[in-house]
Amino acid sequence: MAIRIGDTAPDFTAETTEGPIRFHDWIGDHWAILFSHPKDFTPVCTTELGYMASLKPEFEKRNVRVIGLSVDPADSHKKWAADIEETQGHALNFPLIADADRKVADLYDMIHPNASDTFTVRSVFVIGPDKKVKLTLTYPASCGRNFDEILRVIDSLQLTSNYSVATPVNWKHGEDVIIVPAVSDEDAKQKFPKGWKTLKPYLRVTPQPNK
Ligand code: BEZ
């Protein structure tokens, strides 16, 4: 069955390029990104993993741990890592799950047989420290993902988990946010001391509260 936003992320044990893990223990009190790539030694995946490695300082700032997965064995992942560093200029700095028996891929529904019955699609799961799924994305093998967008979503998730706000179209960290309709104007006076603009009774815009 598909994994949906709000579900508890299924726990598992797995072999990775950094040794064995139990997923929930590995997440600990961090946020996590679990993402699959179709296959080692393939061009789009090589660019994706190099870029993900380059974002490490951004993930650290946000208390996010990253873990990749494909249905290749660990020795293949390790050999491929040299190509990623050589061609992308960034060495892998996060673990890759070696899911040769497809245990995790099946658990997370990462193999879509009408696309390929052999390889995983490009899935992304963002998981909170409470182990709940906060975001799911699925891309086809032919299209590399935009990992800057994943960072943007994490900024939004971390903000909205602490404040009664939502983020508007194309929002970026530092820009104005929306006061959720469940908050009355009376309560908003306390929660949003910087004030707000009312464009419609249901559309109230306020500066990002933690800036
Ligand atoms: C790639 O990463 O380039 C790729 C992998 C599987 C199918 C198509 C492209």
Side-chain angles (χ1 to χ4, degrees), residues 135-154:
L135 167 126
T136 68
L137 272 180
T138 308
Y139 274 48
S142 56
C143 181
R145 287 157 286 196
N146 182 338
F147 289 126
D148 294 334
E149 167 63 2
I150 307 297
L151 273 181
R152 190 190 75 87
V153 174
I154 287 171

Side-chain angles (χ1 to χ4, degrees), residues 38-39 42-46 119 122 141-142:
K39 192 162 173 51
T42 51
V44 177
C45 300
T46 301
F119 306 137
R122 298 188 194 279
S142 56

Side-chain angles (χ1 to χ4, degrees), residues 1-199:
M1 182 151 133
I3 294 170
R4 295 173 175 174
I5 291 175
D7 292 354
T8 298
D11 199 13
F12 57 83
T13 56
E15 197 51 53
T16 81
T17 47
E18 298 182 8
I21 62 155
R22 177 175 290 279
F23 189 49
H24 283 194
D25 293 346
W26 177 83
I27 295 174
D29 58 4
H30 300 81
W31 289 70
I33 299 173
L34 167 65
F35 73 109
S36 58
H37 60 272
K39 192 162 173 51
D40 293 357
F41 298 101
T42 51
V44 177
C45 300
T46 301
T47 63
E48 284 194 329
L49 269 67
Y51 193 75
M52 207 55 156
S54 79
L55 291 178
K56 189 176 178 89
E58 296 301 321
F59 291 126
E60 281 180 346
K61 261 193 253 169
R62 294 163 175 83
N63 189 32
V64 177
R65 287 191 157 178
V66 173
I67 192 161
L69 173 150
S70 78
V71 295
D72 299 288
D75 60 340
S76 163
H77 286 339
K78 286 179 186 162
K79 280 185 204 139
W80 182 37
D83 290 0
I84 294 170
E85 181 171 11
E86 181 191 326
T87 62
Q88 307 304 306
H90 293 279
L92 274 187
N93 49 26
F94 53 86
L96 292 183
I97 295 169
D99 194 37
D101 63 1
R102 304 182 188 189
K103 186 179 77 177
V104 182
D106 286 341
L107 193 60
Y108 277 78
D109 195 27
M110 290 167 166
I111 294 178
H112 295 197
N114 290 326
S116 163
D117 52 16
T118 321
F119 306 137
T120 48
V121 291
R122 298 188 194 279
S123 300
V124 183
F125 296 89
V126 175
I127 298 159
D130 58 1
K131 317 298 181 291
K132 301 283 187 202
V133 173
K134 309 294 182 185
L135 167 126
T136 68
L137 272 180
T138 308
Y139 274 48
S142 56
C143 181
R145 287 157 286 196
N146 182 338
F147 289 126
D148 294 334
E149 167 63 2
I150 307 297
L151 273 181
R152 190 190 75 87
V153 174
I154 287 171
D155 283 341
S156 171
L157 287 168
Q158 293 185 341
L159 181 70
T160 60
S161 70
N162 288 320
Y163 298 92
S164 305
V165 297
T167 57
V169 60
N170 292 344
W171 173 86
K172 286 199 237 33
H173 185 73
E175 295 179 354
D176 288 354
V177 300
I178 288 169
I179 300 173
V180 295
V183 175
S184 67
D185 279 352
E186 201 47 40
D187 290 345
K189 282 181 200 152
Q190 262 136 48
K191 287 180 190 271
F192 303 102
K194 293 176 193 161
W196 66 87
K197 247 188 307 192
T198 301
L199 305 175

